[in-house]
């Protein structure tokens, strides 16, 4: 069963990719979707068996590398953490596959699209089932490759090609640090096997690494390098710029990559390596600060974006920040809980936005929408459910949407950490909760309410999506409503120890995950108050007083432009990295290649040789009398020389 879960998507990718022209568009889409559905069902069975039944079990496939001390098997690590990721990845991927049958039905590259989707899922499954760091890196790079193919799927669009290249390059920066982290881990532990590393960590807690004559705390160096990889994959501040541009891919790609799979790989990796991160306070502090800063930054940018998919993309970036700063205060269960619930409601929002785009004849600008809620009632209802879950609406102690449970416990854990970075994360996370609610309802009001701003022809053709697209949204909506209430006890509540077992490690000195239930009442109520405040402000600005937003923009034009232009990160990186790279490229091209290599090569010595050879070739006329004349001249020259030399002697 374990092997089937992982390799069924690969089989679907191979068949659709290599034989799609024979089985056709319908055959490719249905086959890959069916195989993903089987994988998802088996994943839920596996989840039940591991959590409530037989417990963790490794599955060894074969020996992969055996070179001296560098030896390990290709194996599947099936424990509680893996089980959670399996149900998230396969469920969302299966839903996206079925949804894509309707969304992509008009596209000429359907077999290729479904092959890429299934290939991406396979690599993500390889990542979450990794038994060692090299296998983890294989899946890590595989999802990077597949995301490049999916983001640039419409390769005839220059913007899609640019976005795919940007995602690939930015992730290479993070992956460079990730690879160095794996090298450093092997140097310290002499193995890449995860269980062996985890068992040896306490004995290496104070170990030092020597580099360029300086000593550094080994665990801190390793964890920071590994976290650098997580920053790239999970679009954290500084390496986040690829995520919004990735919206150039088809909407189902956004739902798959940016809701439940690739962008959560960094969070999963930090939680998987919790036995290592627990022994580096510095690394945990960095994770907390970066996560909190990202959550706040992305929320501020989401306030002013006008592309419906970009608003949700920045929301993803912000929510990933919450997951990271939860892990930074050792609340790994809370981080995984939010990862779990977020997968459902964020995929729901992305696919819901795809339904809106489908209804609006591929229009994505919210400024050209409005007044369509009666025409797309199912899509409208699903977007409300996703937004309520994202904003964390619920009554503490009674019931709430999925995000209410997972986001609140994160904020409570940061307060319970009772540290400077914990309070930093709490207050920025609280501000982020307010902004999240505001931009979510700004999206709802601009898209569905008020007078329509759409073109008459577009508005006349607004229609609800077909059932092949609406049906999958029901599955995600169920998760967005009940996943938090059902999962709370096991993920972060009284059943924490039994649920997670040994898959997560928290030192006794890190009490935040367990003290979160004892925070003051105002801390528990604050996220709900902020969310309701954000919703009220959005209602006030876009429904009660529609011109209020424009007046605020005119009054705070500089702040508006700062947010609209994403804090000018793209411009900053262009000034620091892109332009100097182009300058050096032109320098080496003109001065190096052109002036030096070509100057001394093809245009220098080689050109002289070519000209001399050309002149000499004139002597090779092919006429016998020319050769005889040349020989006669040679004989005369020799006799003359001989006579001259003889006379001189």
């Amino acid at each position: 069963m374990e092997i089937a879960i992982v390799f069924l998507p690969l089989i679907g990718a191979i068949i659709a990719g290599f034989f799609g022209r024979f089985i056709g568009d319908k055959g490719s889409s249905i086959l890959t979707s069916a195989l993903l559905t089987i994988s998802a069902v088996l994943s839920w069975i596996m989840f039940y068996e591991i959590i409530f039944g037989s417990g963790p079990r490794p599955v060894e496939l074969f020996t992969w590398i055996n070179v001296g001390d560098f030896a390990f098997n290709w194996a599947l690590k099936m424990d509680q953490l893996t089980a959670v990721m399996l149900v998230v990845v396969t469920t969302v991927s299966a839903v996206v596959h079925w949804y894509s049958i309707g969304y992509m039905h008009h596209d000429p590259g359907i077999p290729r699209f479904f092959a890429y989707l299934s290939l991406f899922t396979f690599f993500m499954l390889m990542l979450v089932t990794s038994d060692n760091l090299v296998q983890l890196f294989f899946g890590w790079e595989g999802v990077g490759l597949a995301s490049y193919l999916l983001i640039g799927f419409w390769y005839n669009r220059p913007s899609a090609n640019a976005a795919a290249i940007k995602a690939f390059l930015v992730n290479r920066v993070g992956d460079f640090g990730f690879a160095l982290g794996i090298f450093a881990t092997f140097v310290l532990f002499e193995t890449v096997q995860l269980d062996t590393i985890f068992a040896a960590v306490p004995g290496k807690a104070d170990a030092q690494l020597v580099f360029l004559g300086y000593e550094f705390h080994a665990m801190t160096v390793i964890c920071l390098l590994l976290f650098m990889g997580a920053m790239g994959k999970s679009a954290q501040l500084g390496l986040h710029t690829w995520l919004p541009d990735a919206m150039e891919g088809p909407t189902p790609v956004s739902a798959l990559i940016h809701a439940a799979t690739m962008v959560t790989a960094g969070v999963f990796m930090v939680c998987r390596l919790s036995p290592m991160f627990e022994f580096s306070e510095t690394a945990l502090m960095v994770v907390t600060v970066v996560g909190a800063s990202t959550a706040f930054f992305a929320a501020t940018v989401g306030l002013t974006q006008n592309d419906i998919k970009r608003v949700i993309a920045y929301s993803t970036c912000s929510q990933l920040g919450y997951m990271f700063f939860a892990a930074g205060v050792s609340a790994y269960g809370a981080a995984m809980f939010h990862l779990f619930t977020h997968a459902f409601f964020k995929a729901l929002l992305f696919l819901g936005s795809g339904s809106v785009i489908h209804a609006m004849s591929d229009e994505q600008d919210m400024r050209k929408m409005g007044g369509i809620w009666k025409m797309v009632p199912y899509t409208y209802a699903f977007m409300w459910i996703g937004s309520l879950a994202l904003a964390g609406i619920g009554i503490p102690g009674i019931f709430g949407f999925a995000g209410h449970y997972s986001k609140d416990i994160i904020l409570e854990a940061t307060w319970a950490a009772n540290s400077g970075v914990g309070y930093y994360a709490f207050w920025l996370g609280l501000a982020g909760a307010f902004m999240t609610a505001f931009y979510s309802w700004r999206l709802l009001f601009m898209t569905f309410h008020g007078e329509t701003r759409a073109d008459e022809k577009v508005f006349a053709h607004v229609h609800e999506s077909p059932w092949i697209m609406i049906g999958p949204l029901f599955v995600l909506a169920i998760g967005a409503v009940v996943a938090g209430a059902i999962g709370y006890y096991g993920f972060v509540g009284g059943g924490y120890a039994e649920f997670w077992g040994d898959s997560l490690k928290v030192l006794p000195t890190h009490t935040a995950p367990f003290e979160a239930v004892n925070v003051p009442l105002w801390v528990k109520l604050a996220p709900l108050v902020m969310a309701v405040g954000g919703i009220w402000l959005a209602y006030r600005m876009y429904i009660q007083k529609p011109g209020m937003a424009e007046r605020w923009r005119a009054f705070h034009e500089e702040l508006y432009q700062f947010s609209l232009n994403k804090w000018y990160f793209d411009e900053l990186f262009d000034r620091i990295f892109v332009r100097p790279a182009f300058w050096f490229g032109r320098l080496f091209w003109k001065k190096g290649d052109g002036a030096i290599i070509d100057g001394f090569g093809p245009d220098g010595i080689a050109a002289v040789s070519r000209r001399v050879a050309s002149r000499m070739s004139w002597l090779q006329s092919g006429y016998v009398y020319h050769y005889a004349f040349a020989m006669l001249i040679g004989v005369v020259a020799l006799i003359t020389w001989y006579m001259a030399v003889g006379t001189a002697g």
Side-chain angles (χ1 to χ4, degrees), residues 152 154-163 247-250 362 364:
W154 287 319
Y155 55 83
N156 56 333
R157 299 182 182 179
S159 58
N161 291 326
M247 297 301 105
E248 290 292 338
D362 296 328
Q364 296 183 199

Side-chain angles (χ1 to χ4, degrees), residues 199-219:
V201 166
K204 300 283 188 179
D206 298 320
Q208 302 289 313
L209 283 177
V210 179
F211 182 70
L212 297 178
Y214 295 93
E215 289 189 347
F216 301 92
H217 184 239
M219 210 60 64

Side-chain angles (χ1 to χ4, degrees), residues 452-473:
T452 185
R453 299 172 299 279
D455 180 84
E456 289 185 11
K457 187 176 295 186
V458 172
F459 188 72
H461 290 86
V462 174
H463 59 285
E464 186 61 273
S465 298
W467 279 103
I468 192 65
M469 294 172 62
I470 294 297
L473 299 184

Side-chain angles (χ1 to χ4, degrees), residues 225-243:
L225 288 172
L226 294 171
F227 179 61
M228 184 176 173
M231 288 179 64
K233 274 289 181 289
S234 297
Q236 293 301 282
L237 190 63
L239 296 178
H240 68 279
T241 54
W242 68 271
L243 184 65

Side-chain angles (χ1 to χ4, degrees), residues 359-378:
M360 296 293 296
S361 304
D362 296 328
E363 180 59 66
Q364 296 183 199
D365 193 334
M366 296 187 299
R367 293 170 297 183
K368 299 178 181 179
M369 300 181 185
I372 65 170
W373 70 274
K374 292 183 179 179
M375 303 175 182
V376 286
Y378 291 109

Side-chain angles (χ1 to χ4, degrees), residues 352-436:
S353 70
S355 184
V356 171
I357 295 168
H358 177 81
M360 296 293 296
S361 304
D362 296 328
E363 180 59 66
Q364 296 183 199
D365 193 334
M366 296 187 299
R367 293 170 297 183
K368 299 178 181 179
M369 300 181 185
I372 65 170
W373 70 274
K374 292 183 179 179
M375 303 175 182
V376 286
Y378 291 109
T379 299
Y380 177 63
F382 288 134
M383 292 295 284
W384 260 89
I385 292 172
S387 298
L388 288 167
L390 173 61
I393 300 301
I395 302 174
I398 299 179
F399 179 76
F401 289 83
H404 166 72
Y405 295 93
S406 56
K407 185 159 65 175
D408 282 19
I409 193 65
I410 288 176
L411 293 173
E412 291 162 14
T414 56
W415 181 268
N418 195 28
S419 64
V421 293
Y423 292 136
Y424 175 81
F426 173 79
W427 289 111
L428 289 189
L430 208 57
F434 176 83
M435 291 185 283
T436 298

Side-chain angles (χ1 to χ4, degrees), residues 278-561:
E278 281 295 284
F279 286 90
S280 174
E281 296 294 333
T282 302
L284 289 176
M285 289 174 60
V286 170
V287 173
T288 305
V289 171
V290 171
S293 302
T294 304
F296 179 81
F297 153 76
T300 63
V301 176
L303 297 174
T304 57
Q305 299 305 302
N306 296 307
D307 185 305
I308 188 171
K309 287 172 62 177
R310 284 180 180 263
V311 174
I312 304 174
Y314 277 107
S315 172
T316 299
C317 190
S318 180
Q319 297 305 306
L320 289 166
Y322 281 88
M323 299 175 206
F324 274 112
F325 70 69
V329 296
S330 298
Y332 304 103
M336 290 302 301
F337 188 27
H338 198 48
L339 185 156
F340 180 77
T341 61
H342 176 265
F344 290 102
F345 60 74
K346 189 52 63 67
L348 178 63
L349 286 171
F350 267 120
L351 296 185
S353 70
S355 184
V356 171
I357 295 168
H358 177 81
M360 296 293 296
S361 304
D362 296 328
E363 180 59 66
Q364 296 183 199
D365 193 334
M366 296 187 299
R367 293 170 297 183
K368 299 178 181 179
M369 300 181 185
I372 65 170
W373 70 274
K374 292 183 179 179
M375 303 175 182
V376 286
Y378 291 109
T379 299
Y380 177 63
F382 288 134
M383 292 295 284
W384 260 89
I385 292 172
S387 298
L388 288 167
L390 173 61
I393 300 301
I395 302 174
I398 299 179
F399 179 76
F401 289 83
H404 166 72
Y405 295 93
S406 56
K407 185 159 65 175
D408 282 19
I409 193 65
I410 288 176
L411 293 173
E412 291 162 14
T414 56
W415 181 268
N418 195 28
S419 64
V421 293
Y423 292 136
Y424 175 81
F426 173 79
W427 289 111
L428 289 189
L430 208 57
F434 176 83
M435 291 185 283
T436 298
F438 176 83
Y439 64 63
S440 296
W441 264 259
R442 174 179 177 265
L443 183 152
L444 285 173
F445 295 145
M446 289 184 67
T447 302
F448 296 102
H449 290 274
E451 295 294 329
T452 185
R453 299 172 299 279
D455 180 84
E456 289 185 11
K457 187 176 295 186
V458 172
F459 188 72
H461 290 86
V462 174
H463 59 285
E464 186 61 273
S465 298
W467 279 103
I468 192 65
M469 294 172 62
I470 294 297
L473 299 184
F474 274 103
V475 177
L476 297 174
I478 293 171
V481 174
V482 304
I486 293 175
Y488 183 87
Y489 177 80
F491 277 89
V492 294
Y496 181 94
E498 295 79 10
F499 186 91
W500 291 112
D502 295 328
S503 63
L504 296 178
K505 172 72 173 179
V506 181
L507 293 179
T509 54
H510 296 156
T511 60
F514 313 107
E515 292 296 328
V517 295
N518 299 321
V519 298
L521 180 62
W522 74 267
V523 174
K524 293 179 178 291
L525 294 177
L528 177 61
V529 172
M530 299 299 283
V532 172
I535 295 172
W536 174 84
L537 182 60
Y539 177 77
R540 179 81 171 166
M541 293 179 67
Y542 292 94
I543 298 298
Q544 282 191 329
K545 296 188 175 182
M548 186 176 176
E550 290 299 322
R551 290 194 296 272
W552 275 37
R553 171 185 172 178
F555 190 69
H556 301 287
E557 184 65 26
E558 292 184 357
L559 285 176
Y560 175 82
Q561 291 297 330

Side-chain angles (χ1 to χ4, degrees), residues 127 136-149 151 163-180 225 228-234 238-242 262:
L127 190 157
L136 177 65
F137 191 71
F138 169 74
W140 193 272
E141 293 302 303
V143 294
L145 167 65
S147 69
Y148 169 80
L149 296 173
I151 294 169
I165 293 172
K166 185 176 183 179
F168 195 81
L169 292 178
V170 172
N171 274 276
R172 294 293 71 72
V173 175
D175 293 352
F176 178 70
F178 188 59
L180 290 179
L225 288 172
M228 184 176 173
M231 288 179 64
K233 274 289 181 289
S234 297
L239 296 178
H240 68 279
T241 54
W242 68 271
M262 189 177 91

